[in-house]
Structures are given as C-alpha cells and as structure tokens.
Amino acid sequence: MLVVLKIGGSVISNKNEPYSLRADYLRKLGPILREFVRKGNSLVVIHGGGSFGHPKVKEILEKGSDLRREGWDVVNLMLEMSLRVARELGENFVVHSSSSIWCSSGPFVRPILDSLRLGWIPILQGNVVYPGRVLSGDEIAVALARELRADYLLFATDVDGVYDEWPQGKPLKYVKACEVSAKESDSIDVTGGMKKKLEEINKLPPTICARIFNGLVPENVEKALYGEDVGTLVCPC
Ligand SMILES: Nc1ncnc2c1ncn2[C@@H]1O[C@H](COP(=O)(O)OP(=O)(O)OP(=O)(O)O)[C@@H](O)[C@H]1O
Ligand SMILES: C=C(C)CCOP(=O)(O)O
C-alpha cells in the first residue's frame, strides 16, 4: 500500500501564532506513521506552510517585494520547518526540498522513490519554486499521488472534513470536488484554504479519490491510513 499524506500547516502549527510548531502533537504522530511503514507500507508526507510559510510570504509581498527576489528566504525557512518536523517525528523521516524536485512539468520523483526503497519516509513541504511562485503542499500531494499511483491520498487538516457550507454547515461524508463551494482559510493563508484543496483534487484521474479529515486528533490519521471512513471522501468530477 502506498499512501500520500498531506499534513496541514494548521495541524502541525498554530496559524495564529507565527513560527509555532506543535512538537507534542508531532511526537505522538511519529510512531503511528512509523508503524504503518514497518508493516510493509510506503508513505510520503507533505506538510503545509502553517505559521511559517504563510506569514513569511505575506510579509514579503506586503513590503512591496516579490518572490523572484526574496523567495530564497521562504525556501530556507520552509526547510528549517521541515527539519524540525522530521526531528519531532523521529527515526526514518528524511527531508526533501520541494523546490529542488519541482520542474515545470511537475515533480521529479526519482529521489523520493529512492528514499521509499530504503524504507525511509520522505517529507516534502509547500514551498516557493522557480520562477518565484508559491507551490502549495496540496498541489504537491495531488501530483505525487498521481505520479506514484498512490492507493490513498489523505489530507489531514484542522476541520472535520469538507462542510456543505462554511462555517455554519456540517461536514459531508462524500462529495465531488466541483459540487461544493468551499472558501479560503480563516487564518493567514496565501494559498487558498479548502477551496484550493478541492481545485487540486479535481485534477486527479477518475481512479483516485482523496480523504479530508481532522488531523488534530492523531487517531484519525491512523484510521485514515488503514482505510477507515473518517472525514470526507472527495472524488474528482
Ligand atoms: N467548506 C469548507 N469546509 C471546511 N473548511 C473550509 C471550508 N471553506 C473554507 N474552509 C477553511 O479552510 C481551512 C482549511 O484549509 P487550510 O489551507 O487552512 O488547511 P491546511 O492545509 O490544514 O493548512 P496549510 O495551508 O497551512 O497547510 C479550514 O480551517 C476553514 O477555515
Ligand atoms: C506558504 C508556503 C510557503 C507554502 C504553502 O503550502 P500550503 O500550506 O500547503 O498551501
């Protein structure tokens, strides 16, 4: 079984407090992910910008600069975030730079496959890529799920799934990506929140669906990894 898991920045950091990593959460999550791989499965983890990437990009744009000039600062910050995430998750996790594997045609997957062959767990991150644009972890997750022919594509985020109406509605069990009108995130966010996730999921081939669920509860991540019904199953239209 090969699973691509995008862990939202809203899960591993507090998006309302700059540069805040949820270390305790990651220490609980590490053994769950490791055990999944120990059982003979393959796992690729992508994390979002959370309270690191999003405020940094906003700061650069608000002072009138742009990511062609100052994107390097975001790249290095996101790699620092990934290294901290990897350290808290523990053994076997290895950081790959999304900026280094992303080509104009999509991801160059060879280095990721090599890590998987060694039984390691690659970590990538939403980041700035050439020629100076923000590449969301959501886009990376969808592209990798397609390229690696993943069995499951999972999005752990800070809400119980896709709501029929945000915020006053309720989470849906199943939805087609083009049949619900999602909005952006309520926190500082430069990539488009749930709306962006659904747009990206809609680019999947018809054979792959994605699951969006509340990853703040580590047990939910475990359930989703083993194919249990948590959150919302989202299929392309
Ligand atoms: N219909 C909807 N259902 C659920 N959440 C929605 C909906 N519309 C908008 N949202 C917002 O989208 C947010 C989730 O997207 P967001 O991009 O913040 O998550 P993430 O991927 O976990 O974080 P990051 O972008 O930092 O990786 C929710 O917290 C909520 O504020
Ligand atoms: C803001 C940056 C640098 C990455 C955004 O990735 P996302 O949080 O997955 O959308």
Side-chain angles (χ1 to χ4, degrees), residues 6 48-50 53-54 57 74 78 126-128 134-138 190-191:
K6 155 85 195 286
H54 292 281
V57 169
V74 184
M78 287 307 299
N127 216 329
V128 167
V134 178
L135 175 70
S136 167
D138 298 342
V190 295
T191 47

Side-chain angles (χ1 to χ4, degrees), residues 6-11 13 15 47-51 54 136 138 155-159 161-166 180-189 191-195 197-198:
K6 155 85 195 286
I7 310 181
S10 61
V11 175
S13 70
K15 275 174 103 165
H47 69 77
S51 69
H54 292 281
S136 167
D138 298 342
F155 289 89
T157 185
D158 64 342
V159 288
V162 182
Y163 282 53
D164 49 4
E165 257 185 78
W166 182 258
V180 64
S181 68
K183 300 197 176 104
E184 310 213 331
S185 168
D186 296 343
S187 322
I188 299 173
D189 191 289
T191 47
M194 191 60 78
K195 189 167 182 273
K197 255 181 249 309
L198 297 180

Side-chain angles (χ1 to χ4, degrees), residues 67-106:
L67 296 174
R68 285 182 85 100
R69 249 181 298 168
E70 293 195 45
W72 58 269
D73 204 6
V74 184
V75 175
N76 291 344
L77 178 68
M78 287 307 299
L79 288 178
E80 269 175 54
M81 182 185 183
S82 284
L83 284 173
R84 285 179 61 188
V85 169
R87 266 191 215 110
E88 299 301 347
L89 287 171
E91 284 178 19
N92 294 354
F93 290 88
V94 60
V95 174
H96 289 254
S97 167
S98 300
S99 313
S100 304
I101 62 129
W102 197 263
C103 321
S104 52
S105 55

Side-chain angles (χ1 to χ4, degrees), residues 13-32:
S13 70
N14 175 356
K15 275 174 103 165
N16 296 316
E17 196 188 314
Y19 312 118
S20 58
L21 200 68
R22 293 198 170 116
D24 290 348
Y25 170 84
L26 288 164
R27 274 181 227 137
K28 275 189 207 142
L29 190 64
I32 294 173

